[in-house]
Amino acid sequence: MENRLAALESRLQELEDKQAIAEMIASYGPLVDSGAADEVAALWSEDGIYDVDEITMTNREQVRSMVHSTGHQHWIKAGCAHFLGPAKVTITGDTAVAVCHSLMVVNQGGRFVGRRGEASADPEAAAPEFVVRRATAHHFELARSDQGWVTTRRTSRVLDGRPEAPELLRRGAMGQPAQAPEGTAP
């Protein structure tokens, strides 16, 4: 009986951990699109790494600065949405690997003018026009902390045909780190 109870508690803990990680990953889009820099930075450990195609941030302060950057603030002001898809999560004790896709949708048109539910009174006003700016593969390495699960490394690559992005997806789906440890086969 005690073994069954321990097994049940272990299974429940794993489910709770997977749900907490999925919710943390899902919170990134709404937080980054609203400019909540402190909350975005808190998704990482103090020395957590965010490795994106064009930039690598190596701590919370750099993640916070990215949200405050002129470029990111431009996306917010013009209208953007980061949609992170469902994450596949693999838990190993107090560490985890998660993988998902995302789409960054941006407004390249105008702004809605008028009251909610009504067309614009100005026939010259440009309507919003949303386009997908990028589709990205995301590989998360996470650790349990006193504050809950945090990202220790997030590697993100645009799905543009280079083999690196599909490999991130494969490794994440297998519960493997983004990079093979030294001296091991990929």
Side-chain angles (χ1 to χ4, degrees):
M1 178 66 147
E2 203 165 305
N3 287 345
R4 288 180 58 205
L5 183 56
L8 184 59
E9 286 175 344
S10 177
R11 288 174 50 206
L12 178 59
Q13 183 65 58
E14 182 176 4
L15 289 171
E16 288 176 346
D17 287 339
K18 285 183 175 186
Q19 183 64 32
I21 290 168
E23 287 181 15
M24 189 227 7
I25 290 171
S27 73
Y28 177 81
L31 292 173
V32 79
D33 292 338
S34 66
D38 292 336
E39 291 83 353
V40 171
L43 300 175
W44 273 262
S45 61
E46 283 293 336
D47 59 351
I49 296 169
Y50 188 6
D51 176 6
V52 186
D53 286 293
E54 63 269 8
I55 185 172
T56 299
M57 295 156 270
T58 58
N59 58 51
R60 280 185 179 166
E61 188 53 42
Q62 290 180 358
V63 172
R64 186 179 292 107
S65 293
M66 176 272 300
V67 177
H68 286 303
S69 72
T70 302
H72 187 76
Q73 290 300 308
H74 165 76
W75 292 119
I76 293 172
K77 288 179 177 115
C80 73
H82 290 76
F83 288 103
L84 276 73
K88 195 295 190 181
V89 179
T90 304
I91 308 276
T92 306
D94 288 335
T95 64
V97 168
V99 65
C100 69
H101 295 85
S102 77
L103 297 176
M104 182 182 177
V105 179
V106 298
N107 177 18
Q108 292 187 335
R111 296 179 187 261
F112 178 78
V113 180
R115 290 187 287 187
R116 187 169 57 182
E118 295 179 13
S120 169
D122 179 1
E124 299 296 315
E129 181 182 334
F130 293 95
V131 298
V132 175
R133 179 178 181 266
R134 63 191 283 159
T136 306
H138 300 280
H139 184 289
F140 295 81
E141 295 174 37
L142 307 112
R144 188 187 317 271
S145 75
D146 292 340
Q147 293 77 40
W149 287 94
V150 292
T151 304
T152 57
R153 180 178 195 89
R154 176 176 169 181
T155 307
S156 302
R157 296 291 183 266
V158 174
L159 289 154
D160 62 0
R162 290 176 291 155
E164 189 177 2
E167 180 61 10
L168 279 177
L169 295 173
R170 184 192 72 77
R171 293 187 70 79
M174 302 299 294
Q176 300 170 347
Q179 299 173 348
E182 292 291 322
T184 62

